[in-house]
Amino acid sequence: MKYEVVIGLEIHAQLSTRTKIFCGCSTAFGAQPNTQVCPVCLGMPGSLPVLNKQVVHYALKMGLATRSKINRRNIFARKNYFYADLPKGYQISQFELPICEHGVLEIPSGEGTKKIGITRIHMEEDAGKSIHDEAFVSKHETLVDLNRCGVPLIEIVSEPDLRSAADAAAYVTKMRQLVRYLGICDGNMEEGSLRCDANVSIRPVGQTTLGTKTELKNMNSIKNVEKAISYEIKRQTEILEDGGNIVQQTLLWDPDKNEARPMRGKEDSHDYRYFPDPDLAEVCIDEPWLQRAQEELPELPDARRLRFERELGLPAYDAELLTSSREVADYFEETLSRTNNAKKTSNWVMGEVLRLSKEKNCSVRELPVTAARLAELMQAVEKGEVSQSAAKTVFEAMDKDDAPVKVLIEKLGLKQLSDVSALEEIIDRIFAENPDKVESYKNGKTKLMGFFMGSVMRISQGKADPQKVSAMLREKLSS
Amino acid sequence: MSDFSLSMLADVAEGRLSVEKRVRAFLQKCRDNKELNAFITLFEERALEQARAIDRKRQAGQQTGRLAGMVVAVKDNIVIKGAPTTCASKILGRYDSPYNATVVERLLAEDAVILGKTNMDEFAMGSSNENSAFGVVKNPHDPERVPGGSSGGSAVAVAAGLVDAALGSDTGGSIRQPASFTGTYGIKPGYGRVSRYGLVAFGSSLDQIGVFANDPAVSALVLEVISGHDNKDSTSAAVPSFSAKSNGDVSGLKIGVPAEYFQEGLDPVIEKGVRDLIDDMAGAGAEIVDISLPMTDYAVSIYYIIATAEASSNLSRFDGVRYGRRAEEPADLTDMYARTRNEGFGDEVKRRIMLGTYVLSAGYYDAYYNKAMRVRRLLKENFDEAFKKCDVILSPTTPSTAFRFGEKIDDPLSMYLQDIYTVSANLAGISAISIPAGKDADGLPFGIQAQAPPFNEHVLFNCAQFIHNLKSI
């Protein structure tokens, strides 16, 4: 039987605000356990939350970027459950009236694109971390680190519109790109700044009701999202083909063993007893606030990609690669503003610049070869001061030496010979030493052009400007 | 009764009275009245230390605070840095707060001396102070009788003259009912007037810190000091402060008298006492207006839905994980929670957590919590309408005078009906005060309640001052 796959994703993105959502503690990752805490995020008796408005602003930007309906009245709700890393015994979240609803994200799918619905985006606080690892604690103990408690999150819930593991991976990729463009989340999946859970079910093609779903957790990279979902689709298909039934459960992905295992402990169907948090006043997003968020939105990745294709005439491949991150696109455009040659700039950025940033494992923004310096180098090539091939050597040098491009070219002895009299001298010498070849060329053996070019390059130690040499040779030999 | 008067503040400021001496006298009085059990923690050395610091400050010619010389007590659900906070519960064990409540900061900034932390019903749940893990508090007017609750310790500390004033908290009448039972002035300001930061939450949308005193002017001054917007509490209101000065002139004041507050179950002696005072005020030029608050009949029911719903969530943090008491040798996490909470909470607290959990449960939320919230809005509209016709609403504070220990403890419903006249002010967020109105044949005091729009506490103090003047003649 043919099955249709139905996937919905829940993404939790930690917002990169300086302080937590309801107190002034730092959100920095990696501090000593329980050092970034205060009575409020520890839920000490008598403490009260006060909303960090920046969180609303960031969530608002995300809503605008996904063309969501923005709810102007925002109410926070308490989600009640007991857990050791949840100090208040409830998580402050949103339930009714999330800040954003009915959004959309376009993802590449097959040859074209596909619109994935976004059910809702809401704001909430993160919980702490429980450490059960038996390398650190004995069997019946748990350590709790509450530094993460109160770090702001947005939860982005998709419609069950995804139809394959590849779709899901494309969706997470796009979402991560988007939050990074907006500058609201660093998108780091390994550190957990971006977390993804998947609801997966399959059904016979043509069936309208949904099959029983399972929930996949602990997929800490986009590659693992794709692998885990593929694994789960295969598992469910095998069960149904053997005449079995899918059991609704939560599965944890094990990236080392490449398998998903049911979460330990019994599956409670939680009753979270949501109700409006009486400690927090309603937050109203007024028109000026909405406008400010709208004005602050950068050009979004899809729009930028299309502009690169249509206005700059770049191939789709180039436009896609250059806009994959905002830093790269900015770097490209800054270089372009000084070189005015989109394709040549694209070649440099996609080639040398991205290679170097990957090699050094840093953002293009952090490279010593800034966009301005790259433009300087490209201009030198344009003026014939250095050859295209030698320019790559200069580029390497620029990474370690911040001297002006001209100085570096001199220093490396790569200055291209384009002085007409100097070139004429070389050409005349070659003609004088090879009168027979000159004669043969004039008699129609035009293949000898290669010999003359090669000789000039050899004598000039590769510094001669090939275009100029070629033009001069033709002129002289035709006279 | 306390020997305190506002002129005493001048004596301190001008060096005629030593704060240390005063504090010593109060401490002695507290020891002499130990059997009242008003305090859970008495700050002997700490209070003397504070008193000496204030005396030194004055001797050095420095400006002292507006409450320099005043000795106060704080209910034990309001946190003080480095001191125990028990909420009269076993579950907090030996918990010392790492920070000060905003009201405590404000008292200390004005040089009030804090003498100790007062007994109460566990987590402010109760109307008799019988629900304390630290024993009952006795009513100084009759030690066989309850002082009211939940702020029973604060009421008694003031009534017995153990302090000049005391802070309490009022979620459904927890200041006004014990004030009525002990013959003290007890004000619950409008919701948002006083910061709740540092008040251990019971029903967050209802809780408000207020003041007990034997004199309306003292009450007003202390309230003025602790009032004001606090950016640590999102529900604290950004409203201008009120003036603590009232002359007791009620001419032209429009007094609303709601029929719903004078129905069956009200002690006739209290009814007469209250109506006589209303007549006195009319005689002094006030205008009496009949008003109706039809939602009053539902107030107790919706109060016990909303307050318990919020409490069930607010009390989740007492789980034995980070502070307070933890059950020994738990089998697993669930067992730790279950046993910690079972051993740590008293019966009334458990009853309310269960009630609150139930009304928020899937399938019951709309029928209970949501419906209660809708009725709460209607009740508020009743008051909005009423306050178009009058400036203040007068009624009894409680249907009866102080009852005997054990009389109602096994009958929660009858205990809950103690709040019949007081819960509405919390539900509507308005301000209310209980003013000593008289005594019954057994010499037990009762109060008259005045209710005014949220931030019209000055109207309440004016009524209180009028009655105070009347009684002083």
Side-chain angles (χ1 to χ4, degrees):
Chain A
M1 195 181 281
K2 280 285 282 172
Y3 293 99
E4 182 186 35
V5 176
V6 178
I7 303 163
L9 293 182
E10 283 169 23
I11 291 180
H12 285 89
Q14 276 184 355
L15 299 179
S16 41
T17 52
R18 200 173 51 79
T19 56
K20 293 185 180 180
I21 182 167
F22 297 121
C23 65
C25 291
S26 165
T27 55
F29 180 83
Q32 281 292 304
N34 299 310
T35 55
Q36 292 174 167
V37 289
C38 73
V40 176
C41 57
L42 289 175
M44 298 306 253
S47 66
L48 294 170
V50 175
L51 178 65
N52 177 350
K53 289 255 171 79
Q54 190 71 26
V55 172
V56 182
H57 194 61
Y58 280 5
L60 184 53
K61 282 184 168 182
M62 189 61 185
L64 293 172
T66 51
R67 308 205 295 273
S68 299
K69 170 180 170 275
I70 306 295
N71 283 318
R72 302 301 189 94
R73 268 182 68 219
N74 273 274
I75 296 170
F76 284 91
R78 293 185 184 177
K79 179 180 181 179
N80 295 284
Y81 66 95
F82 286 97
Y83 204 63
D85 57 24
L86 190 70
K88 298 189 294 297
Y90 57 84
Q91 177 192 28
I92 305 177
S93 179
Q94 290 192 288
F95 187 54
E96 286 167 9
L97 298 180
I99 184 163
C100 317
E101 287 180 285
H102 315 304
V104 66
L105 187 75
E106 272 175 34
I107 61 162
S109 180
E111 291 300 296
T113 60
K114 194 158 146 182
K115 281 189 173 133
I116 305 301
I118 292 167
T119 316
R120 58 186 278 150
I121 300 173
H122 68 250
M123 302 171 275
E124 61 185 24
E125 58 179 343
D126 209 341
K129 267 185 201 162
S130 289
I131 298 142
H132 309 287
D133 195 333
E134 283 174 25
F136 299 104
V137 289
S138 70
K139 206 168 174 196
H140 297 292
E141 286 181 340
T142 299
L143 294 175
V144 176
D145 176 8
L146 296 173
N147 282 350
R148 199 178 70 178
C149 211
V151 169
L153 294 176
I154 48 172
E155 181 176 330
I156 308 157
V157 183
S158 87
E159 289 289 313
D161 288 347
L162 301 156
R163 290 288 171 271
S164 67
D167 269 6
Y171 175 86
V172 181
T173 306
K174 283 299 263 191
M175 206 52 99
R176 185 169 65 166
Q177 180 191 42
L178 190 56
V179 295
R180 283 177 168 170
Y181 256 75
L182 295 172
I184 61 171
C185 168
D186 67 21
N188 189 328
M189 292 184 81
E190 285 74 32
E191 287 180 4
S193 326
L194 194 83
R195 309 195 281 270
C196 173
D197 301 334
N199 288 305
V200 181
S201 67
I202 61 172
R203 61 183 170 193
V205 171
Q207 184 181 306
T208 48
T209 54
L210 291 170
T212 306
K213 68 177 180 186
T214 56
E215 190 180 0
L216 279 168
K217 285 180 180 287
N218 198 38
M219 302 170 289
N220 63 352
S221 71
I222 291 173
K223 203 194 283 172
N224 276 319
V225 169
E226 192 163 1
K227 272 203 216 165
I229 293 175
S230 300
Y231 170 94
E232 182 56 13
I233 293 168
K234 186 160 169 277
R235 191 186 70 90
Q236 290 190 12
T237 309
E238 283 167 8
I239 291 173
L240 290 189
E241 295 204 320
D242 288 349
N245 288 316
I246 308 296
V247 180
Q248 184 165 345
Q249 59 185 336
T250 303
L251 302 162
L252 283 185
W253 177 247
D254 182 337
D256 298 325
K257 295 192 177 150
N258 279 323
E259 60 177 35
R261 286 192 302 271
M263 230 163 93
R264 270 182 299 171
K266 64 175 196 288
E267 279 293 299
D268 291 325
S269 77
H270 278 293
D271 180 357
Y272 290 119
R273 292 175 284 118
Y274 282 101
F275 75 105
D277 191 334
D279 288 333
L280 290 158
E282 218 176 88
V283 188
C284 288
I285 299 167
D286 58 13
E287 202 55 42
W289 191 351
L290 194 73
Q291 263 177 29
R292 187 162 61 85
Q294 187 78 57
E295 281 158 17
E296 282 174 24
L297 281 191
E299 186 182 19
L300 297 177
D302 284 344
R304 205 166 193 183
R305 179 170 51 77
L306 288 176
R307 179 168 62 81
F308 280 12
E309 281 183 45
R310 289 175 192 163
E311 288 177 23
L312 304 180
L314 287 177
Y317 175 83
D318 293 38
E320 175 76 41
L321 194 67
L322 291 174
T323 56
S324 63
S325 94
R326 191 173 162 185
E327 287 80 45
V328 173
D330 286 348
Y331 186 102
F332 165 77
E333 291 212 82
E334 202 190 324
T335 313
L336 179 61
S337 71
R338 295 154 198 261
T339 62
N340 288 318
N341 188 324
K343 184 57 190 153
K344 274 189 181 161
T345 308
S346 167
N347 289 346
W348 269 102
V349 175
M350 292 196 308
E352 297 308 301
V353 174
L354 285 183
R355 179 189 53 74
L356 189 65
S357 88
K358 202 173 168 187
E359 244 172 53
K360 301 180 71 167
N361 193 22
C362 71
S363 150
V364 293
R365 244 187 337 209
E366 295 159 345
L367 289 177
V369 188
T370 60
R373 294 186 79 211
L374 174 63
E376 213 184 311
L377 177 61
M378 287 177 65
Q379 280 152 5
V381 174
E382 203 55 38
K383 285 187 206 147
E385 290 165 11
V386 66
S387 73
Q388 180 69 30
S389 58
K392 292 193 178 170
T393 314
V394 179
F395 181 85
E396 282 299 314
M398 285 162 74
D399 182 47
K400 289 160 198 89
D401 190 337
D402 60 5
V405 169
K406 280 198 173 101
V407 176
L408 275 176
I409 292 172
E410 290 284 357
K411 215 163 150 185
L412 291 165
L414 293 174
K415 192 167 164 57
Q416 188 162 264
L417 256 173
S418 48
D419 177 37
V420 179
S421 58
L423 288 175
E424 219 161 46
E425 212 172 284
I426 296 172
I427 292 169
D428 289 346
R429 206 175 104 199
I430 293 165
F431 284 0
E433 284 168 8
N434 302 285
D436 50 332
K437 294 209 163 72
V438 174
E439 201 52 41
S440 304
Y441 182 92
K442 285 184 173 167
N443 290 333
K445 210 172 173 190
T446 51
K447 275 184 184 164
L448 281 166
M449 183 53 102
F451 164 78
F452 294 122
M453 276 298 287
S455 304
V456 177
M457 293 317 272
R458 179 168 41 78
I459 291 166
S460 72
Q461 289 169 314
K463 289 176 207 162
D465 179 343
Q467 272 177 334
K468 222 159 227 174
V469 173
S470 155
M472 286 171 74
L473 281 171
R474 272 176 224 287
E475 200 201 314
K476 279 183 178 285
L477 288 167
S478 65
S479 60
Chain B
M1 293 292 139
S2 165
D3 61 347
F4 185 82
S5 69
L6 290 181
S7 64
M8 192 278 311
L9 288 178
D11 291 344
V12 169
E14 284 152 32
R16 292 187 294 270
L17 189 58
S18 131
V19 180
E20 182 182 359
K21 233 166 124 183
R22 210 161 177 266
V23 169
R24 281 193 191 282
F26 273 114
L27 284 169
Q28 188 53 48
K29 211 165 176 193
C30 286
R31 284 189 284 268
D32 294 345
N33 287 280
K34 217 170 169 14
E35 77 289 346
L36 293 174
N37 202 21
F39 286 90
I40 289 177
T41 307
L42 198 60
F43 295 156
E44 313 225 9
E45 209 31 61
R46 188 173 169 144
L48 286 168
E49 195 69 49
Q50 218 198 322
R52 284 191 286 265
I54 297 163
D55 284 334
R56 277 198 302 273
K57 199 163 151 185
R58 189 199 50 74
Q59 282 156 10
Q62 285 170 278
Q63 178 80 36
T64 49
R66 284 193 290 164
L67 301 183
M70 196 183 281
V71 176
V72 301
V74 172
K75 188 177 180 181
D76 206 16
N77 59 351
I78 296 170
V79 303
I80 299 180
K81 189 173 177 177
T85 293
T86 68
C87 296
S89 180
K90 284 189 287 186
I91 204 156
L92 273 149
R94 288 209 43 77
Y95 174 77
D96 284 351
S97 176
Y99 71 100
N100 275 330
T102 297
V103 290
V104 169
E105 291 281 341
R106 290 182 177 172
L107 286 178
L108 295 176
E110 294 297 343
D111 287 334
V113 173
I114 300 176
L115 204 62
K117 303 196 73 186
T118 54
N119 206 340
M120 55 186 280
D121 281 300
E122 183 179 6
F123 286 104
M125 296 176 182
S127 307
S128 68
N129 226 302
E130 291 168 289
N131 303 326
S132 166
F134 296 84
V136 300
V137 178
K138 289 176 182 163
N139 192 323
H141 296 275
D142 178 353
E144 301 290 304
R145 290 177 187 267
V146 304
S150 65
S151 310
S154 289
V156 168
V158 168
L162 311 183
V163 287
D164 297 313
L167 300 189
S169 68
D170 189 316
T171 307
S174 279
I175 289 175
R176 290 159 287 156
Q177 186 252 15
S180 178
F181 280 13
T182 57
T184 51
Y185 292 83
I187 182 158
K188 180 209 90 76
Y191 188 77
R193 174 63 93 180
V194 178
S195 168
R196 293 186 295 117
Y197 190 75
L199 167 67
V200 181
F202 160 17
S204 313
S205 72
L206 305 156
D207 295 342
Q208 195 62 195
I209 293 172
V211 183
F212 288 92
N214 288 311
D215 181 317
V218 172
S219 171
L221 178 62
V222 175
L223 183 62
E224 197 189 315
V225 164
I226 63 171
S227 289
H229 181 69
D230 177 12
N231 50 26
K232 291 192 184 109
D233 176 1
S234 320
T235 63
S236 83
V239 288
S241 185
F242 62 99
S243 165
K245 293 195 178 57
S246 311
N247 56 13
D249 178 3
V250 294
S251 60
L253 189 72
K254 285 186 195 157
I255 296 172
V257 181
E260 292 83 357
Y261 283 59
F262 293 89
Q263 286 174 356
E264 212 190 314
L266 173 62
D267 181 340
V269 177
I270 296 179
E271 172 159 9
K272 182 172 186 308
V274 170
R275 287 204 187 275
D276 284 352
L277 278 175
I278 294 172
D279 289 345
D280 287 336
M281 290 172 91
E287 188 187 327
I288 310 301
V289 190
D290 285 331
I291 55 158
S292 179
L293 299 165
M295 286 294 144
T296 302
D297 288 349
Y298 305 105
V300 171
S301 313
I302 64 169
Y303 169 79
Y304 276 92
I305 292 171
I306 295 165
T308 59
E310 293 179 5
S312 71
S313 173
N314 283 331
L315 269 58
S316 293
R317 68 189 63 195
F318 304 102
D319 57 6
V321 174
R322 295 159 309 280
Y323 45 75
R325 185 194 168 100
R326 182 190 289 180
E328 282 172 25
E329 305 279 323
D332 54 28
L333 190 62
T334 310
D335 183 50
M336 185 181 94
Y337 289 144
R339 279 178 38 223
T340 297
R341 290 166 67 81
N342 190 37
E343 293 163 13
F345 288 137
D347 287 348
E348 184 59 28
V349 172
K350 284 182 205 166
R351 175 159 36 233
R352 296 199 194 187
I353 290 173
M354 283 188 281
L355 264 173
T357 303
Y358 179 79
V359 299
L360 289 176
S361 300
Y364 297 98
Y365 181 87
D366 284 328
Y368 292 104
Y369 183 80
N370 235 352
K371 192 181 277 176
M373 289 302 273
R374 286 203 302 276
V375 176
R376 183 181 188 174
R377 275 190 289 278
L378 295 176
L379 178 80
K380 199 177 170 302
E381 284 167 21
N382 276 186
F383 279 100
D384 292 344
E385 280 305 306
F387 286 127
K388 284 179 189 161
K389 296 184 204 145
C390 64
D391 305 311
V392 65
I393 296 169
L394 293 184
S395 72
T397 308
T398 53
S400 71
T401 52
F403 45 90
R404 288 190 159 72
F405 288 110
E407 203 177 313
K408 293 183 193 288
I409 195 74
D410 296 321
D411 183 0
L413 208 58
S414 133
M415 189 75 94
Y416 293 173
L417 285 173
Q418 275 297 310
D419 302 331
I420 191 157
Y421 305 136
T422 48
V423 290
S424 291
N426 303 81
L427 289 164
I430 60 175
S431 56
I433 190 170
S434 179
I435 305 159
K439 287 181 179 174
D440 69 6
D442 296 325
L444 297 171
F446 59 86
I448 179 171
Q449 175 177 242
Q451 301 182 83
F455 305 114
N456 281 7
E457 291 86 352
H458 61 279
V459 177
L460 303 180
F461 285 122
N462 205 32
C463 292
Q465 193 62 50
F466 172 84
I467 295 169
H468 188 75
N469 295 347
L470 201 68
K471 306 265 166 189
S472 316
I473 297 167

